[in-house]
Amino acid sequence: MANPDSGSTPSKPFSQACENNKAPILAVLQRVFDHSSRVLELGSGTGQHACYFAPALPHLEWQPSELSENIAGLCQWVDACNSPNLLPPLLLDVSGIEWPSASHDAVFSANTAHILSWSDAQLMIKRVAEKLPTGGIFALYGPFKYDGLYTSQSNHEFDCWLKQQHPERGIRDFEQVVAVAKSRGLMLYEDNPMPANNRLLVWVKQPMGLADDRDQDNP
Ligand SMILES: C[S@@+](CC[C@H](N)C(=O)[O-])C[C@H]1O[C@@H](n2cnc3c(N)ncnc32)[C@H](O)[C@@H]1O
């Protein structure tokens, strides 16, 4: 549906889930990004998170990013938000090699690990770990399985639906994600329960040399 205020300008993309989860996520980010100054967001989607978090975290700069097909919609939100600490979105495919060269001391991503293939999710974690300085923070929001079990019937149904969309999608195992992160020098710091059976996992980058050099499966 076209935006009635702007003639031919298409209406902004919208996610109800973002509206529902943004306040509980922010409550954690306000604490764990307390000493962060430059946050890179991966797979920003519509941009609703970026537009809610950036003005509420005025001590830091928020850098949203997305795949090319979703950049236009993301820019609509970012332009409308007009927050001085919210940067113009970057094109970034987390599975690619071209990551921004700018330094970031924190990374946030919501609902990407189950959309990416497991191989690309591992690559994302690897690149995040390479990017962060010692003490840098990685916060990853989404649903996870524990001990191979779903935390709710709705997550089980969601996982079946994801796999119907694409066989490589799916809710990831908490233990496997934590093991991959650890092998890259990211130490799990918090596992925060979130509404609707989601979690907000928080890692801290360890000093160089503390990574467990075992490579998980591939990348
Ligand atoms: C389920 S949406 C989540 C969007 C937003 N973070 C949220 O929580 O509403 C997953 C997002 O990941 C993005 N995405 C998928 N594959 C990606 C990749 N290889 N690199 C970067 N982003 C990717 C999609 O474009 C999509 O916007």
Side-chain angles (χ1 to χ4, degrees), residues 20 36 39 42 46 50 62 96 124 151 156 160 166 201 204 210 219:
N20 299 344
S36 305
V39 179
L42 307 172
T46 61
W62 192 278
M124 172 173 74
T151 58
H156 187 187
C160 294
H166 194 291
L201 309 182
V204 180
L210 287 191

Coordinates of all heavy atoms in Angstrom, one line a residue, residues 20 36 39 42 46 50 62 96 124 151 156 160 166 201 204 210 219:
N20 N 7.4 -5.8 19.1 CA 7.2 -6.6 20.3 C 8.5 -6.8 21.1 O 8.5 -6.8 22.4 CB 6.6 -8.0 20.0 CG 5.3 -7.9 19.3 OD1 4.6 -6.8 19.3 ND2 4.8 -9.0 18.7
S36 N 30.5 0.5 25.1 CA 30.7 0.4 23.7 C 30.6 1.8 23.0 O 29.9 2.6 23.5 CB 29.8 -0.5 23.0 OG 29.8 -1.8 23.7
V39 N 28.8 0.4 17.3 CA 28.1 -0.9 17.1 C 27.8 -1.2 15.6 O 27.3 -0.3 14.9 CB 26.8 -0.9 17.9 CG1 26.0 -2.2 17.7 CG2 27.0 -0.6 19.3
L42 N 24.2 -6.5 12.1 CA 24.2 -7.4 10.9 C 22.8 -7.8 10.6 O 22.0 -8.1 11.5 CB 25.0 -8.6 11.2 CG 26.4 -8.3 11.7 CD1 27.1 -9.7 12.2 CD2 27.3 -7.7 10.6
T46 N 14.2 -4.4 8.6 CA 13.4 -3.2 8.3 C 14.2 -1.9 8.8 O 14.0 -0.8 8.3 CB 12.1 -3.2 9.0 OG1 12.3 -3.3 10.4 CG2 11.2 -4.4 8.5
A50 N 17.3 -0.6 14.8 CA 18.3 0.5 14.7 C 17.6 1.8 15.1 O 18.2 2.6 15.9 CB 18.9 0.5 13.3
W62 N 25.6 3.8 15.9 CA 25.0 2.6 15.4 C 25.1 2.5 13.9 O 24.6 3.4 13.2 CB 23.5 2.5 15.9 CG 22.9 1.2 15.7 CD1 22.3 0.6 14.6 CD2 22.7 0.2 16.8 NE1 21.9 -0.6 14.8 CE2 22.1 -0.9 16.2 CE3 23.0 0.2 18.1 CZ2 21.8 -2.1 16.9 CZ3 22.7 -1.0 18.8 CH2 22.1 -2.1 18.2
G96 N 30.1 -13.0 3.1 CA 31.1 -12.5 2.1 C 32.4 -12.2 2.8 O 32.5 -12.2 4.0
M124 N 29.6 -16.0 10.0 CA 29.3 -14.8 10.6 C 30.0 -14.7 12.0 O 30.6 -13.6 12.3 CB 27.8 -14.7 10.8 CG 27.3 -13.5 11.7 SD 25.5 -13.2 11.7 CE 25.0 -14.5 12.8
T151 N 12.5 -25.1 22.9 CA 12.1 -24.6 24.2 C 10.6 -24.3 24.3 O 10.1 -24.0 25.3 CB 12.8 -23.2 24.5 OG1 12.6 -22.3 23.5 CG2 14.3 -23.4 24.7
H156 N 9.2 -25.2 17.8 CA 9.2 -26.4 17.0 C 8.5 -26.1 15.6 O 9.0 -26.4 14.5 CB 8.6 -27.5 17.7 CG 8.8 -28.9 17.0 ND1 8.2 -30.0 17.4 CD2 9.4 -29.2 15.9 CE1 8.5 -31.0 16.6 NE2 9.2 -30.5 15.6
C160 N 10.0 -26.0 11.7 CA 9.5 -26.7 10.6 C 9.2 -25.8 9.4 O 9.5 -26.1 8.3 CB 8.2 -27.5 11.0 SG 8.5 -28.8 12.2
H166 N 13.3 -23.0 3.3 CA 14.7 -23.4 2.8 C 15.3 -24.5 3.7 O 15.4 -24.3 4.9 CB 15.6 -22.2 2.7 CG 16.8 -22.4 1.8 ND1 17.8 -23.3 2.2 CD2 17.1 -21.9 0.6 CE1 18.7 -23.3 1.2 NE2 18.3 -22.5 0.3
L201 N 21.9 -13.7 23.5 CA 23.2 -14.3 23.9 C 24.2 -13.1 23.8 O 24.2 -12.4 22.8 CB 23.6 -15.4 23.0 CG 22.6 -16.6 22.8 CD1 23.2 -17.7 22.0 CD2 22.2 -17.1 24.2
V204 N 31.9 -11.9 25.0 CA 33.0 -11.0 25.2 C 34.2 -11.5 24.4 O 34.6 -12.7 24.7 CB 33.4 -10.7 26.6 CG1 34.5 -9.6 26.7 CG2 32.1 -10.1 27.4
L210 N 43.8 -16.8 23.2 CA 42.9 -17.6 24.0 C 41.8 -18.3 23.2 O 41.0 -19.1 23.8 CB 42.2 -16.7 25.1 CG 43.1 -16.2 26.2 CD1 42.3 -15.6 27.3 CD2 43.9 -17.4 26.8
P219 N 34.1 -23.4 8.2 CA 34.8 -22.2 7.8 C 36.0 -21.8 8.6 O 36.3 -21.9 9.6 CB 33.8 -21.1 7.9 CG 32.4 -21.8 7.9 CD 32.7 -23.2 8.4

